[in-house]
C-alpha cells in the first residue's frame, strides 16, 4: 500500500477514533490506591479488551497488579522472524479538579473550535485512540509482531506496572517500545522526547533549642533553627539561580530543540517583570541540569506565630536529576552539602525519600530511524528532540528489564492540551498524524532493521 493510501485509510478511520474517544472520556477512570477502585476503572478495562480485540489484537487480557490496578496486555503475531514492538498507554486519568473551572463537563466529550475536550482526551486516552487507529489501519501490511501494555495507575505513581513488568517479561519483551504518553513541542511539529530527569528528594531537619524562647529576652544570641535552615537552603542556588550542590555538575548542555524563552514564560506562567533563572538556556535548565526546589518548610505559620526564637524547623527538598547523573550519588551529595553548610553546629538530620533514575530514550538505531522517518512523513516536516523535566519511572524499569530494546517516547500531549488541568483537550490532527506515523512504523520497522 502506498503512503497516500495509508493516509486515506487513517483519515477514514477518524470518525471511529472520535467515537472511541467520546466513549473513553465518559469513563471516570481515576485510580487511587488508597480507595476501592471505582467501577469505571473496570468498565474502562472491559472497553479496552473489546476495542483492542476488535482491532485485531489476540489474547487481550487484564491483570491485577501489586497496587490493585489493572494492566491490559495482548499481542498481534507478525511475519516469522519479525521484530517485536510493544505499544504502551495508560488508561487511568487525573481527577477533574475544580468542576466549575471546566467550560464543558469533564466527563462529557465536547468538540469546540476544532479541539476535543474532556478529562483524559489527551492524557492518555487520545494516545489509546492513536494505537487503535494505527492497528485498524495497518491491516495485512503489518511487518512486525505487536504487543500492547496498558497501565491502570500511571497518574498515581503507585508502582503497579513497575512491579508487573519484570515479572511478565514474556508478555512484554520487545525490540522497540513506543511509549505514547508525551507530546509534540507544538501542534504539527513531530517531536520525540528523548530525556527525562530523575528524582532524589530529602527532608532536612534542624534543631537548636529545647523549647521556643522569647525573642526579646533571647533573640540575638539564641541559635535560631529557622534562620539556620534558611541559610542552608540559600546555599542550594547562586545569585543567578543555578543549582549549586557541592560535587554535582550543573553546567550540562542540551543538543536537542531549544525551548524558546517566550514560550517557557507562558507555559510556566511567569509574571511580567520577573526573571527566569539560571545561566543556561531554558532547555538546559529544565532538561539537562539538576534543579533543587524547596517543596515545603515546617515552621510556625504567620497566623498564630509568637515573638519567639524557633527551636526546630524542617524542609522537603526536591532534587531533579538529569540524564548522565546517578540519582543515589546526587542524593548523597545533597545530604553531604546540607551537613557541610549548617552554621553554628546546629543539629542536622536528613531523611532520604524515594529516588528515581533519569532516563535517556533511543537517539540512534533502527527503531529510532524508522519512527523518525515515519513521523516526518506523516507530518511532512523534520522530527525534533525535546527533554522532559519530570520523571516516568516505568521508562527506567523498561530500560532495566529490556536493556537491548529501543525506547521511544511521544504522543498527542502537546502544550495546548492542558493535561492534568481543567479543560483538557486534544487536537484531532495530532491523533490522525500520529496514527499514520505509528502505522508506517509498524509497516517499515522490520525492513529498517535489515538495512
Ligand atoms: Zn499520562
Amino acid at each position: 500500500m502506498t503512503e497516500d493510501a495509508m493516509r486515506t485509510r487513517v483519515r477514514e478511520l477518524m470518525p471511529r477514533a472520535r467515537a472511541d474517544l467520546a466513549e473513553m472520556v465518559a469513563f471516570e477512570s481515576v485510580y487511587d490506591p488508597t480507595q476501592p477502585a471505582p467501577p469505571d476503572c473496570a468498565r474502562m478495562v472491559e472497553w479496552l479488551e473489546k476495542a483492542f480485540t476488535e482491532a485485531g489484537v489476540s489474547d487481550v487480557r487484564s491483570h491485577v497488579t501489586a497496587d490493585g490496578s489493572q494492566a491490559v496486555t495482548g499481542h498481534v503475531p507478525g511475519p516469522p522472524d519479525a521484530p517485536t514492538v510493544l505499544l504502551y498507554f495508560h488508561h487511568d486519568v487525573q481527577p477533574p479538579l475544580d468542576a466549575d473551572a471546566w467550560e464543558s463537563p469533564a466527563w462529557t466529550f465536547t468538540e469546540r473550535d476544532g479541539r476535543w475536550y474532556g478529562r483524559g482526551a489527551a492524557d492518555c486516552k487520545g494516545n489509546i485512540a492513536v494505537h487503535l487507529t494505527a492497528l485498524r489501519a495497518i491491516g495485512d501490511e503489518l511487518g512486525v509482531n505487536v504487543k500492547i501494555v496498558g497501565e491502570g495507575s500511571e497518574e498515581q505513581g503507585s508502582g503497579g506496572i513497575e512491579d508487573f513488568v519484570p515479572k511478565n517479561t514474556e508478555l512484554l519483551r520487545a525490540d522497540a517500545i513506543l511509549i505514547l504518553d508525551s507530546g509534540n513541542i507544538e501542534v504539527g511539529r513531530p517531536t520525540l522526547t528523548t530525556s527525562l530527569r530523575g528524582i532524589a528528594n530529602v527532608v532536612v531537619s534542624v534543631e537548636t533549642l529545647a523549647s521556643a524562647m522569647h525573642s526579646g529576652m533571647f533573640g540575638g544570641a539564641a541559635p535560631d533553627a529557622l534562620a539556620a535552615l534558611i541559610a542552608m537552603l540559600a546555599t542550594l542556588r547562586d545569585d543567578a539561580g543555578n543549582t549549586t550542590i557541592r560535587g554535582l555538575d550543573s553546567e550540562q548542555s542540551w543538543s536537542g530543540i531549544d525551548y524558546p524563552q517566550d514560550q517557557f514564560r507562558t507555559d510556566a506562567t511567569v509574571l511580567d517583570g520577573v526573571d527566569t533563572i539560571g545561566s543556561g538556556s531554558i532547555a538546559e535548565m529544565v532538561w539537562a541540569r539538576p534543579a533543587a526546589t524547596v517543596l515545603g518548610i515546617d515552621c510556625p505559620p504567620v497566623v498564630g506565630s509568637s515573638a519567639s526564637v524557633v527551636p526546630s524547623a524542617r524542609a522537603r527538598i526536591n532534587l531533579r536529576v538529569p540524564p548522565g547523573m546517578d540519582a543515589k550519588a546526587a542524593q548523597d551529595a545533597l545530604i553531604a552539602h546540607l551537613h557541610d553548610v549548617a552554621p553554628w553546629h546546629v543539629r542536622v538530620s536528613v531523611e532520604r525519600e524515594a529516588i528515581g533514575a533519569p532516563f535517556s530514550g533511543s537517539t540512534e538505531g533502527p527503531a529510532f530511524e524508522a519512527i523518525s522517518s515515519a513521523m516526518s512523513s506523516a507530518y511532512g516536516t523534520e522530527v525534533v528532540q525535546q527533554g522532559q523535566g519530570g520523571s516516568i519511572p516505568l521508562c527506567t524499569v523498561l530500560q532495566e528489564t529490556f536493556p537491548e530494546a529501543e525506547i521511544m517516547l511521544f504522543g498527542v500531549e502537546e502544550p495546548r492540551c492542558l493535561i492534568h488541568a481543567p479543560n483538557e483537550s486534544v487536537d484531532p490532527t495530532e491523533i490522525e498524524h500520529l496514527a499514520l506515523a505509528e502505522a508506517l512504523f509498524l509497516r517499515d520497522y522490520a525492513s529498517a532493521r535489515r538495512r
Side-chain angles (χ1 to χ4, degrees):
M1 190 192 300
T2 65
E3 194 179 302
D4 273 351
M6 188 76 87
R7 190 177 291 273
T8 304
R9 200 185 265 191
V10 167
R11 183 157 303 148
E12 287 166 358
L13 286 164
M14 283 305 289
R16 181 83 189 275
R18 185 185 192 279
D20 281 353
L21 197 53
E23 289 180 25
M24 285 192 277
V25 163
F27 296 117
E28 302 182 20
S29 57
V30 177
Y31 184 75
D32 177 347
T34 66
Q35 309 277 328
D40 270 18
C41 287
R43 290 192 194 108
M44 180 69 205
V45 167
E46 282 164 30
W47 189 93
L48 290 168
E49 288 172 341
K50 195 156 154 275
F52 277 98
T53 303
E54 279 177 11
V57 181
S58 312
D59 282 340
V60 184
R61 281 192 286 147
S62 61
H63 312 255
V64 177
T65 61
D67 65 354
S69 67
Q70 291 189 73
V72 176
T73 61
H75 70 94
V76 189
D81 300 325
T84 300
V85 176
L86 176 65
L87 305 177
Y88 167 90
F89 56 89
H90 66 82
H91 54 87
D92 65 317
V93 296
Q94 285 282 329
L97 305 174
D98 181 7
D100 293 339
W102 284 80
E103 285 176 40
S104 52
W107 306 114
T108 305
F109 176 96
T110 307
E111 181 160 359
R112 202 158 57 239
D113 302 327
R115 293 185 69 93
W116 296 347
Y117 286 81
R119 173 55 86 221
D123 179 17
C124 185
K125 292 170 177 174
N127 290 309
I128 297 175
V130 170
H131 289 316
L132 285 169
T133 305
L135 289 167
R136 287 172 187 144
I138 189 76
D140 53 15
E141 304 268 308
L142 184 65
V144 295
N145 300 293
V146 174
K147 294 177 179 175
I148 64 165
V149 62
E151 174 176 9
S153 59
E154 194 277 338
E155 302 294 4
Q156 296 300 321
S158 45
I161 201 80
E162 288 86 345
D163 179 73
F164 181 78
V165 168
K167 293 177 180 163
N168 290 275
T169 51
E170 285 320 305
L171 279 177
L172 305 174
R173 183 179 309 284
D175 302 286
I177 303 176
L178 304 187
I179 298 184
L180 268 73
D181 194 16
S182 180
N184 292 336
I185 192 144
E186 61 184 345
V187 173
R189 190 126 189 240
T191 309
L192 288 166
T193 299
T194 52
S195 90
L196 303 171
R197 287 194 293 193
I199 193 168
N201 287 7
V202 303
V203 175
V204 56
S205 303
V206 175
E207 287 179 295
T208 53
L209 304 170
S211 163
M213 299 305 292
H214 191 290
S215 64
M217 291 170 70
F218 300 100
D224 177 331
L226 182 54
L229 180 64
I230 291 168
M232 291 159 64
L233 297 178
T235 65
L236 297 175
R237 291 186 191 282
D238 65 16
D239 289 349
N242 297 298
T243 292
T244 47
I245 296 170
R246 293 176 187 176
L248 280 198
D249 182 12
S250 62
E251 297 194 325
Q252 296 88 338
S253 53
W254 172 256
S255 58
I257 193 169
D258 197 20
Y259 194 154
Q261 174 78 221
D262 287 352
Q263 176 72 47
F264 179 80
R265 291 189 72 91
T266 305
D267 294 349
T269 72
V270 180
L271 300 178
D272 284 345
V274 179
D275 300 339
T276 57
I277 62 174
S279 43
S281 67
I282 296 287
E284 284 164 346
M285 297 310 295
V286 298
W287 297 333
R289 298 186 182 183
T293 303
V294 178
L295 300 184
I297 299 181
D298 285 347
C299 63
V302 172
V303 174
S305 55
S306 67
S308 45
V309 178
V310 174
S312 65
R314 60 181 195 152
R316 170 175 281 138
I317 303 167
N318 167 261
L319 179 60
R320 296 288 173 178
V321 182
M325 188 177 278
D326 180 74
K328 169 74 166 51
Q331 192 180 47
D332 290 345
L334 173 57
I335 291 170
H337 176 106
L338 290 166
H339 283 286
D340 280 357
V341 299
W344 320 319
H345 300 103
V346 299
R347 293 187 189 169
V348 175
S349 57
V350 186
E351 192 187 313
R352 294 173 188 271
E353 295 195 321
I355 58 174
F359 169 80
S360 300
S362 177
T363 53
E364 55 181 19
F368 176 81
E369 300 300 334
I371 195 68
S372 298
S373 126
M375 287 171 82
S376 299
S377 303
Y379 281 89
T381 179
E382 281 307 298
V383 169
V384 298
Q385 291 178 35
Q386 69 175 346
Q388 194 169 299
S391 319
I392 305 180
L394 172 67
C395 291
T396 327
V397 173
L398 287 169
Q399 201 159 50
E400 284 164 5
T401 312
F402 307 114
E404 305 298 318
E406 282 184 69
I407 302 179
M408 271 81 50
L409 190 56
F410 59 98
V412 301
E413 300 163 23
E414 38 78 28
R416 287 184 61 200
C417 293
L418 300 180
I419 61 167
H420 297 202
N423 301 307
E424 178 176 350
S425 66
V426 69
D427 187 320
T429 65
E430 295 285 86
I431 295 179
E432 184 174 339
H433 284 133
L434 289 173
L436 175 59
E438 190 167 294
L440 294 172
F441 176 80
L442 297 177
R443 185 187 69 176
D444 299 338
Y445 166 49
S447 45
R449 258 170 78 93
R450 285 194 292 268
R451 276 202 292 275

